[in-house]
Amino acid sequence: METIHKIGRRKTAVARIYLTEGKGNITVNKRDLNDYFTTATLQYKVRQPFALTGNEDSYDVKVNVYGGGITGQAEAIRLALSRAMCEIDEEHRVVLKPEGLLTRDPRMVERKKFGQKKARKKFQFSKR
């Protein structure tokens, strides 16, 4: 099996993954997964596509991720891994699709408008 390259995005985070056969090592920005994502919730999010498809110790993953915050980065990695699992075996799609792991979350930060305090909040109105 050659290396599979996939891209996942969430908010402003962009994750590029390189999937090869191996022992289940996940490296994020040249650091171990547990060092990069310290909370168990984020580690679970990254490993979720492997857990659902039953491939926890089958593949090594190298990840380059930038932009956004740590939650957005974890979800971007999850999307990229889900796409890679579907490329390996089309049967994985049946498992991942109902969990919502193949959907690119389109929600982005709304831009600030001029003449306003924030995106929707206005400056205080004074009648007199």
Side-chain angles (χ1 to χ4, degrees):
M1 171 190 145
E2 72 284 349
T3 304
I4 294 176
H5 174 245
K6 289 289 173 188
I7 294 177
R9 293 184 181 91
R10 172 72 170 95
K11 292 189 177 180
T12 56
V14 180
R16 300 165 194 274
I17 66 147
Y18 301 92
L19 193 81
T20 54
E21 283 188 13
K23 296 183 176 75
N25 300 323
I26 301 175
T27 310
V28 182
N29 290 351
K30 298 180 181 175
R31 289 161 57 187
D32 188 54
L33 174 75
N34 298 342
D35 295 337
Y36 195 83
F37 296 115
T38 52
T39 60
T41 312
L42 296 176
Q43 293 169 15
Y44 168 75
K45 276 185 181 178
V46 172
R47 290 193 177 106
Q48 202 174 359
F50 291 132
L52 290 171
T53 56
N55 292 318
E56 285 97 337
D57 301 325
S58 305
Y59 300 102
D60 285 346
V61 186
K62 281 189 178 173
V63 182
N64 294 332
V65 65
Y66 61 91
I70 55 169
T71 305
Q73 288 185 352
E75 292 180 16
I77 294 168
R78 180 173 71 176
L79 176 62
L81 285 172
S82 300
R83 287 176 172 170
M85 298 317 291
C86 284
E87 186 173 309
I88 290 167
D89 188 2
E90 202 59 40
E91 295 295 315
H92 293 320
R93 189 174 184 83
V94 181
V95 181
L96 297 170
K97 185 85 169 139
E99 296 291 324
L101 299 187
L102 294 173
T103 308
R104 160 54 161 112
D105 195 342
R107 295 176 293 171
M108 303 288 276
V109 176
E110 190 174 335
R111 80 177 214 68
K112 182 197 173 295
K113 282 80 172 187
F114 58 89
Q116 295 182 12
K117 202 174 185 97
K118 289 166 47 178
R120 299 197 174 189
K121 188 175 185 177
K122 312 289 189 283
F123 289 116
Q124 186 171 356
F125 176 73
S126 174
K127 199 165 189 175
R128 282 176 197 77

